[in-house]
Amino acid sequence: LADLNHEAHRRGLRVIGDITLNHCGRAHDWFVRAQDPQAPERGYFRFDPDTPHGYLTWLGVGSLPKFDLTSTGLREVLVREPDSAIRRWIGGDAGFDGWRVDVANMAGRMGEIDVTQDLAREVRSAMALEGDELLLVAEHAHDASDDLRGDGWHGTMNYQGFTRQVWSWLRAPDFYETFLGLPVEVPVITGAQMVASMRAFHGRMPWRSLIASWNILGSHDSARIRTVVGSEERQIAALALAVGLPGVPMVFAGDEFGATGSWGEDSRTTIDWQVQDASASSIVAAYTALLHLRASSPALATGGLRWVDAANDSVAFLREHPTERLLLVVARGQSEAVRIPLADIGAEQVEHVFGLAARIEAGHVVVEIPAAGAGVWRVS
């Protein structure tokens, strides 16, 4: 692990570890010792003879006993001590560059007990002792806004405030899978409805939590974005939203080659590096261009967001920073041209950066929409 992190750092990469603060395995030393009622580890868990396994578990899975995070002793070995689970593996050349916390919405919650936000603040403070730029991202499959106060988790895997809206706007007509764990199919919404829903969720988060959250199009727990949207053009539209909107774009390995999968296990496909598929070259080029833009753009990293148009089949927005202003137009299919008054965006001209073409006409930026896709322009 130390060699992996060292070599990644040497190549300019950062590595985030995956940890759960909610439970451990039944064979873990702590739980084995906890079988002794007199052992200090007994308090790490909640034993209850009236439960199916005699102790509380994660979602009733007997092999995963749930932590009792009201335990001071557990918090010491899990978070606070220099050799704790949180601190031991991060920081320095050989350590991880942060943690993604599995089932963070459940960690610290047990019946009427809720110490989740206190736990998040404590983890962040402990991590700060190991380095200045260590990332702490929480997994939430639901509305995470109540857990994001700006001083605990840096951000979340933003399924609720990003993924659901993008899927619903861009889904293919023949995509009938359930909706990220909900027992309903993915609905179909307009661009205006997508924007309204995003604004409602974003307005509940501190800005610094929003820009640290992951704009996630799909993962090991969901369908892949290509399967959801059904075409390369719509996948590029989805990527433009992930790159363009506030947050950190997350790419699930293989998406950049157009990998498919209808649900979590089906999506855990590997990349066949021996296959040189010419049809993948354009999607790879789009990922390369948009992600390079995101990596180099202060406006996309931290700039403000201003929606300027939202129709059924297209949306347009500005990302604005003191040193850069970008206009993005994203479409889910052929539609009427988008016409944005220059006066509304305080611009005189636009410079093409990616994708769709635009022209200046009668005091407007005019973007023709021949098919699904996206365009990006620098505004001045």
Side-chain angles (χ1 to χ4, degrees), residues 30-239:
W30 295 348
F31 190 68
V32 171
R33 291 195 289 269
Q35 303 310 302
D36 178 357
Q38 305 305 314
E41 291 82 2
R42 185 75 173 186
Y44 295 5
F45 307 90
R46 184 64 61 89
F47 288 87
D48 184 346
D50 294 330
T51 60
H53 302 285
Y55 50 87
L56 269 65
T57 67
W58 178 72
L59 296 182
V61 180
S63 61
L64 299 176
K66 183 175 173 64
F67 290 137
D68 182 351
L69 284 155
T70 64
S71 166
T72 301
L74 174 62
R75 297 273 275 268
E76 289 290 335
V77 297
L78 195 62
V79 179
R80 297 169 183 160
E81 295 177 354
D83 201 37
S84 65
I86 283 291
R87 294 179 60 186
R88 178 182 179 184
W89 307 102
I90 60 172
D93 180 62
F96 287 131
D97 299 289
W99 289 114
R100 175 264 193 186
V101 181
D102 184 57
V103 293
N105 58 299
M106 299 182 189
R109 292 190 168 109
M110 182 184 297
E112 296 181 354
I113 296 170
D114 187 345
V115 295
T116 296
Q117 292 181 22
D118 179 54
L119 173 69
R121 286 190 291 268
E122 189 168 60
V123 172
R124 183 160 167 178
S125 296
M127 290 174 60
L129 299 174
E130 306 299 330
D132 294 332
E133 296 186 358
L134 299 175
L135 181 65
L136 180 61
V137 173
E139 181 197 27
H140 284 71
H142 63 293
D143 180 4
S145 55
D146 284 341
D147 283 352
L148 296 176
R149 302 295 177 86
D151 59 352
W153 318 124
H154 284 115
T156 184
M157 298 171 70
N158 199 7
Y159 286 108
Q160 187 75 6
F162 177 82
T163 315
R164 293 183 189 275
Q165 293 86 342
V166 173
W167 278 27
S168 296
W169 187 51
L170 293 176
R171 59 154 280 189
D174 58 351
F175 181 75
Y176 298 114
E177 296 301 317
T178 56
F179 194 24
L180 290 170
L182 296 179
V184 294
E185 293 178 5
V186 179
V188 177
I189 62 175
T190 68
Q193 289 172 321
M194 177 182 71
V195 171
S197 180
M198 284 184 171
R199 292 183 71 181
F201 280 103
H202 293 173
R204 291 172 52 84
M205 294 184 192
W207 178 253
R208 63 180 177 177
S209 297
L210 177 60
I211 64 174
S213 293
W214 289 353
N215 291 341
I216 183 168
L217 296 173
S219 73
H220 64 293
D221 286 327
S222 78
R224 282 190 180 266
I225 187 61
R226 172 59 72 85
T227 299
V228 174
V229 301
S231 72
E232 179 178 309
E233 293 78 15
R234 285 196 173 192
Q235 184 177 347
I236 292 172
L239 178 64

Side-chain angles (χ1 to χ4, degrees), residues 229-310:
V229 301
S231 72
E232 179 178 309
E233 293 78 15
R234 285 196 173 192
Q235 184 177 347
I236 292 172
L239 178 64
L241 291 170
V243 166
L245 289 172
V248 180
M250 176 188 161
V251 177
F252 183 33
D255 282 352
E256 69 273 35
F257 297 106
T260 59
S262 295
W263 58 292
E265 295 294 338
D266 187 41
S267 298
R268 299 182 188 191
T269 47
T270 56
I271 299 172
D272 186 351
W273 297 106
Q274 303 304 313
V275 175
Q276 301 296 322
D277 186 350
S279 66
S281 60
S282 56
I283 191 71
V284 171
Y287 269 76
T288 300
L290 286 170
L291 292 170
H292 280 207
L293 175 63
R294 173 59 174 77
S296 62
S297 169
L300 296 182
T302 61
L305 168 66
R306 181 152 54 109
W307 293 100
V308 295
D309 190 73

